[in-house]
């Protein structure tokens, strides 16, 4: 299981969502902007606290993910990003460690 948060460069949470293990999550509406993507894993997830109560580990994408909407002619284009949170030999994503307090605030 994972709790995903998108945070602005200033540190405010723009979006948070929970995804169960072996499932996927999709966001279809997000304001244009640049966001850090955080991932928290652990056990004993609390919906009231919106965090894992035991063994919570937090990682983030060190690069800002930029989401923009553009219009060209009659077409509207939206940026997208996809993360697959499994270890893969030769994978192209190297998360950075983040603190639980950084994730919470």
């Amino acid at each position: 299981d994972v709790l995903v948060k998108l945070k602005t460069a200033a540190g405010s949470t723009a979006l948070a969502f929970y995804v169960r293990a072996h499932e996927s999550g999709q966001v279809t509406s997000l304001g244009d902007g640049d966001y850090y993507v955080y991932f928290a894993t652990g056990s004993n997830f609390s919906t009231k606290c919106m965090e894992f109560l035991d063994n919570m580990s937090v990682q983030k994408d060190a690069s800002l993910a930029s989401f923009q909407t553009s219009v060209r002619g009659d077409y509207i284009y939206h940026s997208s990003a996809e993360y697959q949170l499994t270890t893969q030999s030769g994978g192209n994503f190297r998360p950075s460690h983040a603190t639980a307090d950084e994730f919470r605030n």
Side-chain angles (χ1 to χ4, degrees):
D1 297 356
V2 64
L3 179 62
V4 180
K5 283 189 179 182
L6 276 66
K7 294 180 151 241
T8 65
S12 63
T13 299
L15 176 77
F17 61 99
Y18 176 81
V19 181
R20 292 188 189 278
H22 310 293
E23 294 184 9
S24 61
Q26 182 177 10
V27 175
T28 58
S29 179
L30 177 67
D32 287 359
D34 298 326
Y35 302 95
Y36 286 107
V37 183
Y38 287 78
F39 309 95
T41 58
S43 56
N44 196 15
F45 183 75
S46 169
T47 55
K48 184 176 181 179
C49 299
M50 284 301 288
E51 70 177 58
F52 294 95
L53 301 178
D54 299 314
N55 305 313
M56 188 164 85
S57 174
V58 180
Q59 296 183 342
K60 73 175 184 177
D61 187 342
S63 302
L64 281 169
S66 182
F67 296 94
Q68 304 297 324
T69 302
S70 61
V71 177
R72 293 185 200 126
D74 294 334
Y75 298 98
I76 299 173
Y77 297 90
H78 300 279
S79 302
S80 66
E82 182 176 331
Y83 293 86
Q84 186 172 4
L85 301 179
T86 57
T87 303
Q88 294 183 357
S89 177
N92 63 356
F93 175 61
R94 303 283 185 262
S96 298
H97 177 74
T99 67
D101 285 340
E102 185 180 353
F103 185 75
R104 286 182 191 112
N105 297 330

